[in-house]
Every structure is written in C-alpha cells, then in structure tokens.
Amino acid sequence: MANSRAQPAAPHHIAIVMDGNGRWATRRFLPRVAGHRQGVESLRRCVQACADRGVRVLTVFAFSSENWNRPQEEVSGLMELMALALGREVPRLREDGVRLRFVGERSNLSERIAQGLAKAEQATAGNTRLTLNVCFNYGGRWDIAQAAARLAEEGEAITEASLDRALALSHVPDPDLFIRTGGEQRISNFLLWQSAYSEFYFSDRLWPDFDEAALDEAIGAFAKRERRFGLTSAQLTESPAADQPTA
Ligand code: IPE
Ligand code: IPE
Ligand code: MG
C-alpha cells in the first residue's frame, strides 16, 4: 500500500493508558484538572493520527474503577470534563467516521453522563473508519467479574471462549499494541484479559505531550517486534508446505 510517510504497517488495534495529565499540570503550577483538559486535546490529536495511519481500533483508559478514590474535586472535575467533551467532540467524531463505544460500569454514573454516553454511541453507530473505545469507570477485574457473573446467571459454562464473548470488549479483537505514557511501567487494572499477547510499549512522555511523532515511534517499535504467540521463531518463518508430512 502506498504510504507517503514511509511508515510501517499500523497495528489493527492500539490500546493506551493515557497517564501523566496530573504531572503535566503540576509542572506548570496549574490545577490537575487543567492537565486532564489538555489530555482531551491530546486524545483528539491521537484519534486523528490513528485514523490517518489506518489503525482500526483505538482503546483508551480514561477513568479507572480506582480513580473514584482521588480527591473529590478532581473526580467531579473529570466528570464535568467528560460531559463537556461529549457535547463538544461527538459531532466532529461523527463527521470523521469514528464509532464511539464506552466500556465500563454505568450503573453508578450520573444520569446526565450515562445518557450522554448512550447518545454518543447512537450518534456514531453507523461509522466504520475507526472504533474508539473509551474505558470509563472501567477496571480489568471488573470486566472479568461481570462477564463471569453474567455467564453464571445465564447458566452458561465458563470457558475461555464464553468469557471472551461476555467481556466488555467482545466487539473488537485483542489489542496488538499496548502503550502507556507517563513513565510508569504497570497495567493499573487496564485490559487484563485482552492484553495476554499484546506488545507493550512504555513512553516517558506525559499524555498531553504524546504527539504524532511519539505515536509513530511506538508504531515503529511495534513493527520490529516478533510476535510468537507461544511458537518458536523458526515456526513463524516456515512455509505452510513445510508442515506437510513427506510421503
Ligand atoms: C491520567 O493522568 C488520567 C486519569 C487517571 C484520569 P493522571 O491524572 O493519573 O496523571 P498523573 O499520573 O497524576 O501525572
Ligand atoms: C491509570 O492511571 C488510569 C488511567 C489512565 C485512566 P493511574 O494514574 O490511575 O494509575 P496508577 O495509580 O499510577 O497505577
Ligand atoms: Mg497517573
């Protein structure tokens, strides 16, 4: 495929822990919520960049099950920002062919936010260029537990395949590339099940500073990895014919 940037092929699905907003703000003597506001700008740029590079699914961690334990002022600032961003960003995402999906527990969200999420999903349901999964009030453990509970309730056997289908991200394949910005090298309860064979990439950049060049660096690093999925390196390069039994 022709590509003017001479970039390696983009991964199908990128997942990102958008970390470092608070530190970005603190370094500028700003309130932490100013960092989250800048984080929305960075996400807008990243969505566009992913779509331009042929990424089909982008899954981002916006608010974790544990983030409720932050100071009340920050939590309400984040909720307010979500409500604002929904109003402001959805029309453009809709125009740009982005399908929005929100992944996480909705029962303890305010009515206003819950309705906003549902409306945004409806408004972009027909889009196919890029699926943007926003994990909000999400935890990997929550997801596995809710999936298991649902299967138990329906009297279905718990197998890898049935759990896979019951998980909140069952509408997309597992992430190929898992990026965390902000310098920490941990999962923090993001896609515990789905990242089993993802390639991990840790960037020291704070999320508001994670620009197109940083994304290209991550994609470039991904392109150099050899994904073996439990096989040997030699098996990956063997031609299918080599597997045929010889007469
Ligand atoms: C990530 O940035 C965004 C959320 C968790 C909502 P942080 O707010 O965790 O930023 P740092 O890690 O404190 O810099
Ligand atoms: C993970 O970041 C959650 C989001 C980016 C939304 P945190 O900042 O909450 O993670 P820890 O506390 O550093 O592990
Ligand atoms: Mg953080």
Side-chain angles (χ1 to χ4, degrees):
M1 212 197 307
N3 189 329
S4 57
R5 274 185 301 274
Q7 275 288 314
H12 183 93
H13 182 176
I14 299 182
I16 309 184
V17 178
M18 308 185 290
D19 195 28
N21 296 345
R23 279 164 285 167
W24 184 93
T26 303
R27 283 177 198 176
R28 286 163 179 78
F29 307 101
L30 296 169
R32 289 178 59 88
V33 74
H36 298 310
R37 232 177 279 131
Q38 200 60 36
V40 176
E41 303 293 318
S42 191
L43 178 57
R44 185 189 305 125
R45 175 173 61 194
C46 186
V47 168
Q48 197 60 57
C50 283
D52 289 348
R53 284 154 182 74
V55 173
R56 302 304 306 278
V57 184
L58 175 63
T59 301
V60 296
F61 205 3
F63 189 84
S64 78
S65 314
E66 289 75 36
N67 289 150
W68 290 109
N69 299 321
R70 291 192 175 193
Q72 204 261 322
E73 184 184 283
E74 181 167 350
V75 172
S76 52
L78 280 162
M79 292 299 147
E80 193 51 41
L81 186 60
M82 174 52 102
L84 269 175
L86 282 170
R88 241 190 351 228
E89 307 293 335
V90 172
R92 188 183 339 211
L93 292 169
R94 187 182 173 171
E95 289 273 294
D96 289 345
V98 177
R99 178 172 195 175
L100 259 170
R101 301 285 292 253
F102 293 93
V103 178
E105 176 61 52
R106 300 212 188 170
S107 63
N108 55 342
L109 297 176
S110 74
E111 192 57 28
R112 176 177 170 225
I113 301 261
Q115 275 182 10
L117 303 187
K119 269 174 69 182
E121 288 182 332
Q122 280 160 18
T124 59
N127 283 343
T128 56
R129 185 167 171 232
L130 174 80
T131 297
L132 172 60
N133 298 306
V134 178
C135 296
F136 190 77
N137 198 13
Y138 170 89
R141 289 177 175 176
W142 163 82
D143 194 11
I144 294 168
Q146 70 79 24
R150 195 138 51 93
L151 292 174
E153 205 178 284
E154 290 162 6
E156 251 200 82
I158 293 180
T159 64
E160 283 195 25
S162 68
L163 259 175
D164 212 43
R165 281 194 301 272
L167 287 164
L169 272 176
S170 62
H171 58 286
V172 291
D174 289 344
D176 302 292
L177 172 59
F178 180 122
I179 298 173
R180 180 171 184 143
T181 66
E184 311 293 356
Q185 305 197 359
R186 54 177 173 255
I187 299 183
S188 298
N189 200 13
F190 197 28
L191 308 169
L192 298 182
W193 176 278
Q194 296 87 348
S195 63
Y197 274 103
S198 302
E199 295 295 330
F200 283 77
Y201 180 88
F202 297 101
S203 168
D204 286 333
R205 293 227 189 176
L206 303 175
W207 173 247
D209 296 327
F210 193 82
D211 58 10
E212 290 93 341
L215 177 70
D216 284 337
E217 244 177 74
I219 293 175
F222 170 81
K224 293 199 189 95
R225 308 272 178 92
E226 183 184 64
R227 304 184 75 192
R228 290 192 288 279
F229 299 97
L231 303 184
T232 67
S233 196
Q235 279 177 298
L236 298 173
T237 49
E238 272 165 18
S239 66
D243 289 329
Q244 300 302 313
T246 44

